[in-house]
Amino acid sequence: MIPLLSAVGVVAGWQQPATRPVDFTLAEGEIVGLTGPNGVGKSTLLAAFAGRATVFSGRIEQRPGLRLALQTQDVPPVDGLPLCGRELLALTGASPTGLPPWLAERLDLRLDRLSGGQRHYLALWAILQAPGDLVLLDEPTNNLDAAGVAHLTAHLRERAVAGTGIVVVSHDAAFVEAVCDRVVVLEPRDVE
Amino acid sequence: MWNELFLIPFLTGLCLAVLLPVLGCYLRLREEWLAALAYSHVAAAGALLALVGGLPPALGGVAAAGLAGVSKPLFSRRLSGGASYALLLLGGWAVAVLLAANQPMAERLGHALFDGQLYFSAGEQLVWVGGAMLVALLILYRLSSNLLLAHVYPDFFRARGFPAWPVRSGFDLLAALVLALATMNLGVMGAFALIFIPPWLAFRRGRNWRSGLGMALLIGVLAFVCAFLVALGLDQPFGPVLALLLIVIGLVIA
């Protein structure tokens, strides 16, 4: 079967190379974790998979027609914006079905009236639930409490069972252990 | 009031009072509200240049603002942080004032543009503005989701490969052309007041995006109708009356 995503000898970066050469594959319904120390280029590699960062060498191939969803660590700029949770979900085509009760009942509130954790989970949900074949998540457990992490873990497993491929960058070892089928550990680049 | 002499300017302004607050919400979303003032000044300068050159002023205003809107992406990377709008504003203002100071014909039109000349709108302007309102609202309706998505989730928007040019260049051009038409009919500051204050209040008070758009539209229309009647009744220039009324509404609601 053709993998959803494959990378061979990829060196990614922004203005200059930031990672060692990386080989990577992701199949349908698989959850793969990307871990490693700070500055190793985990987020950069994720951005390269999404076509944002520069690929200096090697190649990345995606299955034709792949629908990709990317969650970054940037907080959606919603302060002062009259946008409610239900409208946010509608923008990405995400369904509110399955949201935890503590968030489902706040869907009609403005996003800037929600707590930081509630806002983060809703912003994450809008990406997670967007119709897509491949979901790329960068530190999704930031700002989440234990209940949020547990709900996210269960939901990612459901998405994977439904055939979605998921790549997770996270420092949360327990979360990675609980949710990922396998883990790719990135090594630091040699200092020249 | 129902005399054709006043009815046509009233209807022309009413169309703009519907359109400008809605357009202003999207400009505010993109943190580009200064663009309204920039395009208005460029349109005023273009109108005066056209007049001096023996061309229809409206054509000059629309052409100058349209050119500014189209060419903005070319220099926006070097002029970030709103600098491009500030330069357009200053350039438009400087050209307009210099023309008005040196050309008697341009002086009269310049005063009209900066004071607000709604009462001189004729049937032809009403047709243009009415048509522009319908087309612009339709385009904004079609662009709305992408404009919001590109603002809230720029990475998701790019990763999905959504077409960026209608959102970026198309919206810039639309804003420039609408502002040019508004400037020709409401004057520089009248147009700016309608595009800035109702969205500012809607962003503070709106419960969601849809209600925010409705609130901005309602405030714009109410302020316009009141300002038209007050300016007519007291025989005052329309633009400043509209601006003062919107400031009062703004301070009360905010």
Side-chain angles (χ1 to χ4, degrees):
Chain A
M1 181 183 284
I2 304 173
L4 286 178
L5 176 72
S6 69
V8 180
V10 165
V11 175
W14 298 98
Q15 281 77 34
Q16 57 191 17
T19 68
R20 277 190 163 196
V22 177
D23 294 331
F24 185 89
T25 59
L26 181 76
E28 265 185 19
E30 193 178 24
I31 305 179
V32 176
L34 278 180
T35 64
N38 282 340
V40 80
K42 303 183 293 293
S43 299
T44 305
L45 188 61
L46 208 64
F49 290 160
R52 289 177 59 226
T54 305
V55 175
F56 288 90
S57 62
R59 67 175 192 279
I60 295 173
E61 289 180 354
Q62 294 179 357
R63 199 169 68 183
L66 188 81
R67 291 173 304 170
L68 192 152
L70 168 68
Q71 174 254 336
T72 65
Q73 294 185 55
D74 297 334
V75 180
V78 293
D79 278 333
L81 186 67
L83 191 71
C84 72
R86 201 175 297 281
E87 289 171 326
L88 181 79
L89 298 186
L91 285 177
T92 62
S95 163
T97 307
L99 267 176
W102 46 268
L103 207 47
E105 64 196 23
R106 291 173 172 81
L107 272 182
D108 292 315
L109 292 178
R110 278 174 63 135
L111 292 165
D112 57 0
R113 306 278 193 267
L114 299 178
S115 72
Q118 291 167 343
R119 199 187 310 181
H120 173 77
Y121 200 80
L122 201 54
L124 179 61
W125 188 266
I127 297 293
L128 268 181
Q129 279 294 93
D133 311 298
L134 171 60
V135 179
L136 307 174
L137 303 174
D138 194 356
E139 300 291 356
T141 57
N142 280 357
N143 291 323
L144 292 186
D145 59 13
V149 174
H151 190 275
L152 175 65
T153 304
H155 182 68
L156 288 178
R157 293 304 324 169
E158 286 173 18
R159 283 298 309 250
V161 167
T164 304
I166 300 169
V167 183
V168 179
V169 166
S170 178
H171 279 101
D172 187 338
F175 169 70
V176 170
E177 170 77 20
V179 80
C180 294
D181 297 312
R182 60 189 170 89
V183 176
V184 174
V185 181
L186 299 189
E187 301 293 336
R189 272 174 67 83
D190 296 329
V191 179
E192 292 170 7
Chain B
M1 166 70 194
W2 304 115
N3 185 308
E4 189 177 312
L5 190 64
F6 299 116
L7 187 60
I8 287 178
F10 176 77
L11 293 176
T12 306
L14 191 61
C15 290
L16 291 167
V18 169
L19 176 57
L20 291 179
V22 176
L23 177 66
C25 285
Y26 290 96
L27 282 169
R28 191 167 190 86
L29 169 75
R30 289 161 54 97
E31 297 169 356
E32 289 183 336
W33 56 266
L34 189 60
L37 213 45
Y39 290 139
S40 287
H41 279 81
V42 169
L48 296 179
L49 269 174
L51 183 72
V52 170
L55 296 169
L59 182 67
V62 170
L67 190 64
V70 167
S71 56
K72 184 206 141 200
L74 300 178
F75 49 79
S76 61
R77 190 170 292 178
R78 290 187 178 191
L79 301 173
S80 57
S84 58
Y85 294 130
L87 295 185
L88 283 173
L89 192 163
L90 289 169
W93 170 77
V95 170
V97 170
L98 285 172
L99 284 171
N102 291 287
Q103 297 283 339
M105 270 196 318
E107 186 185 7
R108 278 198 298 277
L109 180 60
H111 274 301
L113 287 172
F114 284 97
D115 291 350
Q117 58 162 5
L118 183 61
Y119 305 125
F120 302 108
S121 294
E124 193 180 344
Q125 275 103 318
L126 175 58
V127 171
W128 273 102
V129 170
M133 178 192 70
L134 293 175
V135 171
L137 287 177
L138 185 65
I139 292 173
L140 284 175
Y141 176 74
R142 296 294 299 270
L143 285 182
S144 180
S145 292
N146 279 348
L147 286 166
L148 284 162
L149 189 61
H151 176 75
V152 179
Y153 288 121
D155 294 311
F156 179 87
F157 187 83
R158 281 190 288 266
R160 276 294 170 97
F162 291 133
W165 78 263
V167 177
R168 209 177 298 133
S169 305
F171 180 78
D172 286 339
L173 180 60
L174 176 76
L177 294 179
V178 168
L179 258 301
L181 273 179
T183 304
M184 297 296 118
N185 289 281
L186 294 177
V188 170
M189 287 302 167
F192 180 64
L194 274 175
I195 218 160
F196 178 79
I197 294 180
W200 167 55
L201 295 171
F203 271 51
R204 288 177 67 95
R205 296 289 187 193
R207 283 181 292 110
N208 52 49
W209 186 253
R210 186 184 283 259
S211 79
L213 288 179
M215 183 183 286
L217 191 153
L218 192 66
I219 293 169
V221 168
L222 281 177
F224 167 78
V225 172
C226 291
F228 191 91
L229 294 174
V230 169
L232 195 64
L234 300 179
D235 192 23
Q236 294 298 311
F238 171 76
V241 173
L242 174 66
L244 279 176
L245 204 60
L246 277 167
I247 289 170
V248 171
I249 292 172
L251 292 176
V252 169
I253 294 181

